[in-house]
């Protein structure tokens, strides 16, 4: 990521700002990273050899079937996280799309942080399932959801309460008025990112068909709902953010915990309890920080 950033800055400064330069750098970095990963893989697992006659085609068919529904799921995810800027640009204005994209970086930061933690937990969930240690798998899933929601409550509450100060220091005073947009974008991520350990459980158990279908359906609903809010209710960029927050929360706060409990043969409300405690903690932090904000208004990066 450092090389990517440095490459983009170098090309922009030396050759002028062109959007295609970002693509050139991304392609170059991806090719280099692929080579590095292959080299690391050979060092870590020198005994692994690839050959067609080693393949178990029954397993290949299983993986292809699973991969199809994971692909469907990813299409739904794209409809959530990659269409909002397009909607702003297409139905509002390029300036609105720019404002939206700038504020979106904080939402992406929380999502990526949660994704990194999820990647660390996913192998343990798969190992427990492979060993038929279902009690440990269930315990780890519940603990992870509870821990995620508690940990994420801290940055999310700070971003919500001190959003005017953050925008002022980060982008300038002209962006301070967008603080409600920032609140809408990040306030729901405690639940929506907090339940991500359940995604690893459904993959380990190969129960990906219904989540894939529901995610795709929710993504389509999000797309049309956002367009409706913008074109017919004139909510502007706030309508786009609200549509995403509403549909994603309904999916992850209701469907995923209940579905996860069903496939793990638990009470339907087992994982609802896991994130409710973190949600209450988030509300408590926001209330406390609102009181603090009455006495402290950061005006610089150091103060912030």
């Amino acid at each position: 990521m450092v090389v990517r950033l440095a490459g983009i800055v170098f090309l922009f400064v030396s050759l002028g700002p062109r959007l295609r330069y970002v693509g050139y750098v991304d392609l170059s970095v991806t090719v280099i990273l692929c080579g590095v990963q292959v080299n690391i893989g050979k060092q870590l697992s020198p005994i692994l050899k690839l050959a067609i006659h080693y393949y178990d085609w029954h397993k290949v068919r299983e993986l292809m079937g699973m991969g199809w529904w994971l692909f469907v799921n990813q299409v739904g995810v794209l409809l959530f996280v990659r269409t909002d800027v397009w909607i702003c640009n297409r139905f509002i204005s390029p300036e609105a799309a720019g404002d939206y994209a700038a504020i979106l970086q904080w939402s992406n930061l929380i999502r990526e942080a949660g994704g990194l933690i999820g990647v660390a937990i996913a192998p343990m969930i798969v190992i427990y399932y492979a060993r038929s240690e279902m009690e440990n798998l269930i315990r780890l899933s519940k603990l992870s959801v509870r821990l995620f929601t508690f940990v994420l409550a801290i940055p999310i509450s700070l971003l919500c309460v001190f959003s005017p100060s953050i925008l002022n220091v980060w982008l300038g005073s002209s962006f301070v008025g967008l603080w409600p947009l920032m609140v809408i974008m990040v306030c729901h991520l405690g639940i929506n990112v907090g339940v991500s350990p359940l995604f690893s459980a459904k993959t380990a158990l190969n129960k990906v068909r219904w989540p894939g279908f529901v995610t795709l359906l929710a993504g389509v609903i999000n797309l049309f709902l956002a367009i409706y809010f913008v074109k017919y209710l004139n909510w502007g960029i706030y309508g786009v953010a609200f549509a995403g927050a509403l549909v994603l929360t309904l999916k992850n706060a209701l469907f995923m915990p209940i579905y996860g409990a069903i496939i793990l043969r638990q009470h339907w409300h087992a994982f609802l309890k896991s994130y409710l405690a973190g949600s209450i903690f988030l509300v408590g932090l926001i209330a406390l920080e609102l009181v603090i904000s009455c006495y402290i208004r950061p005006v610089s990066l150091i103060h912030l």
Side-chain angles (χ1 to χ4, degrees):
M1 296 306 295
V2 172
V3 171
R4 176 182 182 273
L5 177 62
I8 293 173
V9 171
F10 173 76
L11 290 180
F12 276 24
V13 170
S14 60
L15 302 178
R18 297 289 186 276
L19 189 59
R20 64 177 180 271
Y21 295 159
V22 179
Y24 296 157
V25 173
D26 280 344
L27 178 59
S28 303
V29 170
T30 300
V31 171
I32 295 171
L33 183 60
C34 181
V36 171
Q37 290 176 336
V38 170
N39 184 57
I40 292 174
K42 289 182 177 180
Q43 292 181 18
L44 293 177
S45 306
I47 64 172
L48 291 181
K49 306 295 181 182
L50 295 179
I52 281 291
H53 60 272
Y54 292 155
Y55 279 65
D56 181 339
W57 292 104
H58 176 70
K59 294 296 182 183
V60 170
R61 285 193 295 270
E62 286 186 10
L63 288 173
M64 290 296 292
M66 179 180 183
W68 162 252
W69 286 108
L70 290 176
F71 171 76
V72 170
N73 184 83
Q74 282 303 110
V75 173
V77 171
L78 287 175
L79 291 174
F80 272 114
V81 301
R82 291 292 182 265
T83 59
D84 39 9
V85 175
W86 171 79
I87 293 173
C88 292
N89 185 72
R90 174 67 178 79
F91 295 99
I92 307 176
S93 69
E95 292 78 11
D99 291 343
Y100 190 98
I103 309 301
L104 185 63
Q105 301 310 308
W106 290 100
S107 174
N108 290 339
L109 180 64
I110 298 295
R111 293 175 190 270
E112 290 177 9
L116 290 174
I117 302 175
V119 167
I121 292 174
M124 289 306 305
I125 291 179
V126 175
I127 290 171
Y128 283 144
Y129 179 73
R131 294 175 177 173
S132 298
E133 299 177 6
M134 297 304 294
E135 290 186 4
N136 289 334
L137 189 156
I138 293 168
R139 187 181 302 112
L140 177 62
S141 299
K142 290 182 178 179
L143 177 62
S144 300
V145 172
R146 186 177 298 112
L147 180 63
F148 266 35
T149 51
F150 268 92
V151 171
L152 291 172
I154 299 172
I156 289 173
S157 62
L158 290 170
L159 289 172
C160 288
V161 175
F162 293 100
S163 52
S165 299
I166 292 172
L167 291 174
N168 183 47
V169 172
W170 178 42
L171 296 174
S173 58
S174 60
F175 285 84
V176 172
L178 294 175
W179 69 266
L181 178 65
M182 188 169 173
V183 172
I184 296 173
M185 283 186 176
V186 303
C187 67
H188 59 92
L189 295 180
I191 294 175
N192 289 321
V193 178
V195 299
S196 57
L198 298 179
F199 302 160
S200 301
K202 70 174 174 60
T203 304
L205 275 67
N206 194 14
K207 302 291 186 180
V208 295
R209 178 177 300 180
W210 277 107
F213 174 76
V214 170
T215 301
L216 178 61
L217 178 62
V220 173
I221 293 173
N222 168 66
L223 176 63
F224 285 99
L225 191 63
I227 295 174
Y228 175 77
F229 286 161
V230 170
K231 288 190 65 175
Y232 299 102
L233 298 186
N234 295 318
W235 287 5
I237 56 179
Y238 297 96
V240 179
F242 181 72
L246 176 63
V247 179
L248 189 62
T249 302
L250 288 175
K251 182 183 82 73
N252 287 343
L254 294 177
F255 171 75
M256 277 310 303
I258 295 175
Y259 183 78
I262 291 174
I263 63 176
L264 292 173
R265 298 180 180 178
Q266 299 294 297
H267 293 297
W268 66 272
H269 52 75
F271 293 106
L272 296 177
K273 295 179 180 179
S274 298
Y275 75 71
L276 281 177
S279 301
I280 295 172
F281 180 60
L282 172 62
V283 174
L285 279 179
I286 290 177
L288 175 63
E289 291 165 14
L290 283 173
V291 174
I292 295 175
S293 67
C294 295
Y295 302 95
I296 301 177
R297 295 185 179 275
V299 293
S300 68
L301 182 60
I302 296 176
H303 196 194
L304 187 60

